[in-house]
Amino acid sequence: MSGNSMIARFLIGLSFVIHPALAVSEEESKCHTVQGPDSDTNPGENKERFEYRITVADKLRLSAASAGAEWLETEGLLLRARVEADSDSWGTALQLVQKACRQAELALQQAEYESKAWKNRVVD
Amino acid sequence: MIRAITIGLIILFASMVFQSAYAGPPEDRRAFIAYFESRFPAIPFAEYANGIYAIDQDARDQWLEIEEFPPYEFAVEQGASLWQERFPDGKSYSDCFKNSKNGVRQNYPEFDTRTGEVVTLAKAINLCRNKHGQNTLEFGGEKILALSAFIAFESRGEPFNINVPNDDVRALAAYEEGKRFYYTKRGQLNLSCADCHVVSVGQYVRADHLSASLGHPTHFPVYRSKFGSMLSLHQRFAGCVRDVRAKPFELQSTEYRALEYFLTYMSNGLEVNGPGARK
């Protein structure tokens, strides 16, 4: 990389902008989009849905962690989701799980991309 | 004739590709220094030990005033007192750090060929304590920071001389791990160390100018006015990782020790000037 190059700087900045475009699409995501509103009339179904999704999200988070790529707030989001679920606030709980799950997915994608991309930035 | 020229060009090209793909630590360091020298031709090499104060004149002026009554002096005094303590077996730190009169800081981190690990100064302090029957000090705790500050102060003026033995694949792997960490984007903000401390040196981040990585380790530990206390290099690493919204690693983790190994090797030849004072 020619560090003083305006082109190099532009490309590095662009990599931040286009990074979300490399992200896993909603259709391909392992994190299911939250379906329907908070259902107080059927708490059993909400609990089952929540437990499944928080398990998926936490597995993805742990995968990101083992790749050294975990983001800062993912674990906190899952803890907050658990607190909301314990209070039967299922809509909020599921939204928090969804957010954490997508963060973990993006972190894993970032780690995979960076496993090769970093070499292009080495000063030479 | 044409065939001979073609073959010659192919061999020449292949050797260039091979060389660039397998650039080792000395080549990396030369390129690193050349990059900053071309970006900031007016800054002498030795000045990079002063971090942002080599680039930002206003900050430098404030720093020079602070240095008249250095806030790290208390840590140095505490460290001097701790250095003199005797372990239960009658030994002391000077029994672990040979030739300490010639300075110690400039030799760390070192690659321990017995254990295959990068040993930083903080780890070496604890290894010394354990060897002589003393408990481990908390990394990032007041005592280990005070000892580090004293050792750095006594080592001032000694040029960093970190070795990456090229006949030890484990040492090279540790160096490469640090290099990979340095250039890898991470966190929700998708930034690498290089994004700030290579590409954006001299630019603002919030209210501060970004410093060059060349010379980063030379002045640690630092007294940070923001916290009113001493701060280690690994605590600074953790802060940066947190600032890009990635989960920080543990102090003295394999990752941070590899990063320190890489960064300090890049700064070889610069003099120890710790402890430092920073905002």
Side-chain angles (χ1 to χ4, degrees):
Chain A
M1 178 186 79
S2 172
N4 205 22
S5 160
M6 288 301 293
I7 295 172
R9 292 188 200 199
F10 173 72
L11 286 173
I12 285 165
L14 193 61
S15 70
F16 173 65
V17 173
I18 65 172
H19 172 72
L22 297 173
V24 177
S25 69
E26 289 289 338
E27 291 77 23
E28 295 166 323
S29 171
K30 291 187 176 70
C31 306
H32 299 285
T33 306
V34 173
Q35 298 284 339
D38 186 1
S39 174
D40 292 327
T41 58
N42 196 352
E45 184 183 310
N46 282 326
K47 182 171 169 53
E48 193 179 322
R49 192 192 309 171
F50 172 80
E51 292 299 337
Y52 171 75
R53 290 182 188 176
I54 199 170
T55 302
V56 169
D58 204 40
K59 273 188 183 162
L60 287 170
R61 182 190 70 82
L62 290 170
S63 294
S66 69
E70 186 181 351
W71 289 4
L72 182 63
E73 64 171 3
T74 310
E75 189 176 12
L77 287 169
L78 292 174
L79 289 171
R80 281 172 54 198
R82 178 62 70 186
V83 169
E84 294 293 335
D86 289 345
S87 307
D88 289 333
S89 182
W90 298 107
T92 306
L94 287 166
Q95 282 180 358
L96 288 167
V97 167
Q98 173 69 5
K99 189 172 179 182
C101 193
R102 289 292 283 161
Q103 281 197 1
E105 257 186 344
L106 286 169
L108 275 170
Q109 181 130 19
Q110 179 187 51
E112 189 185 332
Y113 180 79
E114 286 298 308
S115 65
K116 294 186 179 64
W118 72 270
K119 292 178 188 172
N120 298 328
R121 303 183 198 110
V122 174
V123 175
D124 58 15
Chain B
M1 176 69 173
I2 293 173
R3 189 175 170 189
I5 291 171
T6 306
I7 291 171
L9 285 171
I10 289 170
I11 291 170
L12 179 64
F13 179 71
S15 69
M16 285 166 63
V17 170
F18 181 84
Q19 192 167 5
S20 66
Y22 290 95
E27 292 81 12
D28 286 341
R29 179 173 164 271
R30 277 194 287 274
F32 206 67
I33 292 170
Y35 167 81
F36 286 110
E37 286 181 339
S38 71
R39 278 285 301 275
F40 304 100
I43 297 177
F45 174 69
E47 268 299 309
Y48 282 95
N50 294 322
I52 193 55
Y53 305 135
I55 295 168
D56 185 339
Q57 187 59 49
D58 284 341
R60 185 185 184 90
D61 292 341
Q62 291 176 48
W63 166 60
L64 289 173
E65 287 192 21
I66 289 170
E67 283 287 337
E68 289 184 24
F69 296 99
Y72 49 74
E73 270 190 338
F74 299 109
V76 172
E77 283 172 16
Q78 184 186 9
S81 175
L82 289 167
W83 180 266
Q84 300 298 329
E85 282 179 2
R86 290 276 162 190
F87 299 134
D89 62 0
K91 301 288 185 185
S92 67
Y93 289 105
S94 50
D95 290 294
C96 295
F97 296 100
K98 304 295 180 194
N99 302 317
S100 55
K101 286 195 172 74
N102 297 329
V104 168
R105 177 68 187 95
Q106 70 276 11
N107 301 321
Y108 288 92
E110 65 172 10
F111 187 79
D112 186 339
T113 52
R114 281 185 311 111
T115 60
E117 284 203 355
V118 172
V119 176
T120 58
L121 178 61
K123 264 198 100 66
I125 289 170
N126 271 337
L127 286 169
C128 180
R129 292 177 63 84
N130 294 158
K131 184 179 172 185
H132 296 291
Q134 277 285 55
N135 63 316
T136 301
L137 293 175
E138 183 193 339
F139 293 127
E142 187 181 316
K143 285 187 176 177
I144 208 163
L145 285 168
L147 274 165
S148 301
F150 170 72
I151 292 168
F153 188 80
E154 291 293 303
S155 307
R156 276 186 173 184
E158 296 295 332
F160 274 93
N161 185 25
I162 306 306
N163 185 30
V164 179
N166 57 14
D167 58 351
D168 193 322
V169 294
R170 299 168 303 167
L172 282 168
Y175 168 87
E176 284 291 324
E177 187 188 336
K179 180 177 160 184
R180 183 187 60 78
F181 189 105
Y182 185 79
Y183 287 104
T184 296
K185 290 178 186 284
R186 64 188 67 251
Q188 201 168 355
L189 297 189
N190 199 41
L191 290 169
S192 69
C193 309
D195 282 331
C196 289
H197 298 295
V198 172
V199 179
S200 305
V201 172
Q203 309 274 5
Y204 272 110
V205 60
R206 294 187 287 276
D208 293 313
H209 285 112
L210 289 162
S211 56
S213 271
L214 182 61
H216 262 171
T218 67
H219 41 270
F220 276 86
V222 299
Y223 179 89
R224 277 221 60 190
S225 301
K226 176 179 172 178
F227 302 126
S229 63
M230 299 298 292
L231 188 87
S232 68
L233 181 61
H234 286 208
Q235 285 172 309
R236 182 62 265 188
F237 288 163
C240 283
V241 169
R242 187 180 182 85
D243 285 344
V244 301
R245 304 194 64 73
K247 187 171 179 180
F249 296 89
E250 295 291 324
L251 303 183
Q252 301 298 325
S253 58
T254 311
E255 291 86 355
Y256 287 168
R257 282 185 282 127
L259 179 59
E260 183 177 342
Y261 195 36
F262 168 75
L263 275 176
T264 316
Y265 183 87
M266 291 293 106
S267 302
N268 266 352
L270 290 170
E271 291 179 357
V272 178
N273 63 340
R278 293 289 184 275
K279 280 198 258 183

